Structures are given as structure tokens and as C-alpha cells.
């Protein structure tokens, strides 16, 4: 901080911004909000969420009856893929975020939204982080992708290319769709933890659905205040992991010569699964 003040930290926050979840202090009202959110998504995601997500949720033992204890989840998650959940007060600085991911630590908030925020809140809460993100960390290929993303983030910051990499995260980890023999399914956490967008992303005519292409995704801007205007569809987690395995330095150079695209753009070279009717 230029004026000499130290960044505000909660007394219990450590240098890496981690805090204790404080599971014993949740109220019955907070557990009830978790139950409401869980039971709602449980109904909506049947036939909409990818199998790997459902298997991860089940394997983790995340259930409707109340807010899970991160210590219990970490016993299972650690044994499955070596990932651990660390509790943080909210959004943490990019560098801290990537450092955690690069070391197989997922930073999760530990507050739950209020009842009047059930359908939308601007920043991630524990339902988004734990229900939306953590089940897929039980999948070895996706777990590797998330670690690679963390390592890539540290590098992207050094190269001044964070905005490109943030788009990759946004259109895959947060809002990604995946093709399966049974049809297109959801794997993006921002969709999985949202009642409205779980339906909109797959079934509404408004948004584009475009085949995943790494550079195309990294040149495309995104919306943070509304449903997405375009969703990108991967063929498999292996495809995603393979596409992002190489060193990104050359990609960032190529992107610096390409225009940034508006979220609703369709290019002639796109593999268009659905051409959207436009803003909803
Ligand atoms: N912090 N707790 C938390 N959760 C996030 O998803 C998160 C963050 N800090 C930075 C961040 N995401 C993004 O800006 C990076 O992916 C670029
Ligand atoms: Fe998220």
C-alpha cells in the first residue's frame, strides 16, 4: 500500500489469507440455507450435470443436511487426488489464489449467502465453492488441470497476460460445458451452483454454444453480471488438459496480435453447436 497502511486482514488471517472454517459456529439458519440450495440443485442437475461431477459429489459425501466440515471433506479429497480445501474470507489476491492452486490447495470461502441472495450473489460463497468447484477435484484429470492452471497463473502474472488466462478459467472451470454420448452436460462451477443458469446454459436459445478452442477462448471477453452470451463446449477433460499442457508464452504473443472479442461474437472458423438468438 503506497500510503503505508497495511492491507486489511482479519485478525485470524494468515499471510496466505487462510482462516479456520469455524464449522462449529454455523447457525441452524445457515445450515438451512445450505439445505435449500443443495436440494434445489439436486433436482435440477439430474440429466444436466456431467457424470464426473455427480460422482465427485457422491464420493466426497457432500449431503443436503448441512454445511460440510472441511476437515471431513479433506480426508476424502486428499486420499482421492491430493487436493485440500483451505478456508479464506473471500476473494484473495490473484497471486495468492494461483499459489494455492499450484500446490493443490483450493481456496474456499466459508460464509453462506443470505436467503434473499439465493438466486444471485456477485462474489463466490461457500455453496459456490464447495458444491460448485470441489466435487470435480475428485476427478484425477480435472485435478491435474486445476494444478496446471495455478502454475500457469503465476507465469501469466509475470508475463502480464493474466487477462487471457482469466478468460480460460472463466469459460472452462466456471462456465464450461462438455459433450457426452448422452448429450451436452455442465461441468462449470458457476453454472452448477446456479439454479437459473443450469437451465439457461443448456436449454435457452439465447446463448451461443461453441466448440472449445484455446486461443479463441483466451481472446474472448466475458460478463460477470449476467448469464453468459457464449458457452464453450469441450469434448473431454483429457482434451482440455492436453490443450493447456504446452508452455503458453507463444500463445500470449499470438494473442497480443489478435483483437479481444465481445462475449457474443461468432467467428467463421468457430465449430458452432448452437447459434444464439442474442441477449436474453
Ligand atoms: N479468490 N477466493 C477466491 N476465489 C476465486 O475464485 C478467485 C480468487 N481470487 C482471484 C480469482 N479468483 C481470479 O481473479 C483469478 O482466477 C484470475
Ligand atoms: Fe468459482
Amino acid at each position: 500500500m503506497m500510503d503505508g497502511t497495511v492491507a486489511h486482514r482479519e485478525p485470524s488471517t494468515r499471510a496466505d489469507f487462510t482462516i479456520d472454517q469455524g464449522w462449529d459456529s454455523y447457525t441452524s439458519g445457515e445450515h438451512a440455507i445450505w439445505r435449500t440450495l443443495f436440494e434445489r440443485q439436486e433436482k435440477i442437475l439430474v440429466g444436466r450435470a456431467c457424470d464426473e461431477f455427480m460422482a465427485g459429489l457422491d464420493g466426497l459425501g457432500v449431503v443436503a443436511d448441512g454445511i460440510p466440515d472441511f476437515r471431513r471433506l479433506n480426508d476424502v479429497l486428499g486420499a482421492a487426488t491430493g487436493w485440500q480445501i483451505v478456508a479464506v474470507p473471500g476473494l484473495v489476491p490473484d497471486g495468492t489464489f494461483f499459489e494455492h492452486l499450484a500446490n493443490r490447495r483450493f481456496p474456499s470461502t466459508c460464509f453462506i449467502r443470505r436467503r434473499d441472495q439465493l438466486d444471485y450473489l456477485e462474489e463466490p460463497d461457500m455453496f459456490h465453492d464447495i458444491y460448485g468447484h470441489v466435487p470435480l477435484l475428485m476427478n484425477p484429470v480435472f485435478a491435474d488441470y486445476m494444478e496446471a492452471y495455478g502454475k500457469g497463473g503465476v507465469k501469466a502474472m509475470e508475463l502480464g497476460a493474466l487477462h487471457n488466462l482469466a478468460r480460460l478459467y472463466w469459460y472452462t472451470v466456471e462456465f464450461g460445458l462438455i459433450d457426452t454420448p448422452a448429450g451436452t452436460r455442465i461441468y462449470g462451477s458457476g453454472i452448477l451452483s446456479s439454479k437459473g443458469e443450469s437451465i439457461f446454459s443448456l436449454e435457452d436459445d439465447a446463448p451461443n454454444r461453441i466448440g472449445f478452442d484455446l486461443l479463441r477462448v483466451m481472446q474472448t471477453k466475458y460478463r460477470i453480471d449476467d448469464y453468459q452470451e457464449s458457452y464453450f463446449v469441450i469434448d473431454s477433460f483429457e482434451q482440455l488438459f492436453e490443450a493447456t499442457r504446452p508452455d503458453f508464452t507463444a500463445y500470449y504473443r499470438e494473442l497480443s496480435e489478435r483483437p479481444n472479442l465481445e462475449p457474443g461474437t461468432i467467428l467463421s472458423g468457430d465449430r458452432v453447436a448452437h447459434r444464439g438468438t442474442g441477449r436474453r
Side-chain angles (χ1 to χ4, degrees):
M1 295 281 185
M2 297 310 284
D3 59 2
T5 57
V6 177
H8 166 70
R9 284 208 189 112
E10 310 211 346
S12 57
T13 301
R14 305 174 195 106
D16 60 2
F17 284 80
T18 57
I19 56 175
D20 295 325
Q21 180 189 11
W23 184 77
D24 303 310
S25 60
Y26 291 119
T27 65
S28 57
E30 288 170 313
H31 283 292
I33 291 171
W34 172 276
R35 242 186 334 273
T36 300
L37 290 163
F38 188 104
E39 287 165 356
R40 215 169 63 165
Q41 283 311 94
E42 194 174 36
K43 291 190 190 74
I44 286 172
L45 290 181
V46 174
R48 291 193 174 97
C50 65
D51 292 343
E52 294 83 351
F53 170 80
M54 301 305 263
L57 194 63
D58 190 50
L60 264 177
V62 175
V63 292
D65 61 5
I67 293 169
D69 183 334
F70 293 1
R71 292 166 298 194
R72 294 295 71 73
L73 297 185
N74 280 339
D75 294 342
V76 179
L77 185 61
T81 58
W83 274 83
Q84 290 290 277
I85 301 159
V86 289
V88 292
L91 289 174
V92 301
D94 291 342
T96 307
F97 182 65
F98 292 127
E99 186 59 26
H100 280 306
L101 294 187
N103 291 282
R104 295 209 169 210
R105 295 189 300 265
F106 185 80
S108 173
T109 49
C110 47
F111 69 89
I112 192 98
R113 66 192 73 177
R114 299 188 312 268
R115 218 161 254 291
D116 65 321
Q117 298 172 305
L118 282 189
D119 289 335
Y120 189 79
L121 78 165
E122 49 292 339
E123 72 162 41
D125 75 333
M126 179 167 48
F127 185 74
H128 167 80
D129 282 329
I130 296 299
Y131 186 90
H133 279 285
V134 175
L136 272 173
L137 293 176
M138 292 283 282
N139 175 281
V141 177
F142 197 83
D144 288 353
Y145 172 73
M146 286 292 277
E147 177 186 351
Y149 179 84
K151 289 178 174 155
V154 175
K155 181 99 183 276
M157 288 179 73
E158 289 159 5
L159 296 171
L162 183 57
H163 61 290
N164 291 133
L165 197 77
R167 292 168 180 168
L168 175 64
Y169 189 83
W170 192 267
Y171 282 117
T172 58
V173 177
E174 294 294 0
F175 291 96
L177 301 178
I178 183 169
D179 255 343
T180 80
T184 307
R185 293 289 183 268
I186 303 164
Y187 73 93
S189 309
I191 309 175
L192 291 164
S193 55
S194 158
K195 172 185 173 222
E197 199 153 4
S198 295
I199 296 163
F200 176 84
S201 64
L202 287 179
E203 290 148 42
D204 201 290
D205 280 341
N208 301 321
R209 294 177 191 94
I210 301 169
F212 174 84
D213 171 274
L214 183 64
L215 286 177
R216 172 69 165 86
V217 162
M218 291 207 284
Q219 68 179 105
T220 306
K221 296 191 288 188
Y222 54 82
R223 307 184 57 84
I224 59 170
D225 57 352
D226 197 352
Y227 295 166
Q228 298 312 302
E229 293 176 52
S230 293
Y231 296 95
F232 290 90
V233 190
I234 59 174
D235 302 328
S236 66
F237 293 130
E238 288 75 13
Q239 177 211 18
L240 182 58
F241 187 52
E242 282 314 310
T244 54
R245 188 191 291 273
D247 179 277
F248 275 26
T249 309
Y251 292 152
Y252 293 140
R253 200 175 312 114
E254 163 71 23
L255 284 163
S256 66
E257 276 131 43
R258 289 193 186 192
N260 291 317
L261 300 175
E262 290 308 310
T265 305
I266 286 190
L267 297 180
S268 56
D270 285 344
R271 283 182 295 132
V272 181
H274 173 77
R275 181 180 293 271
T277 56
R279 299 287 309 274
R280 61 188 183 122

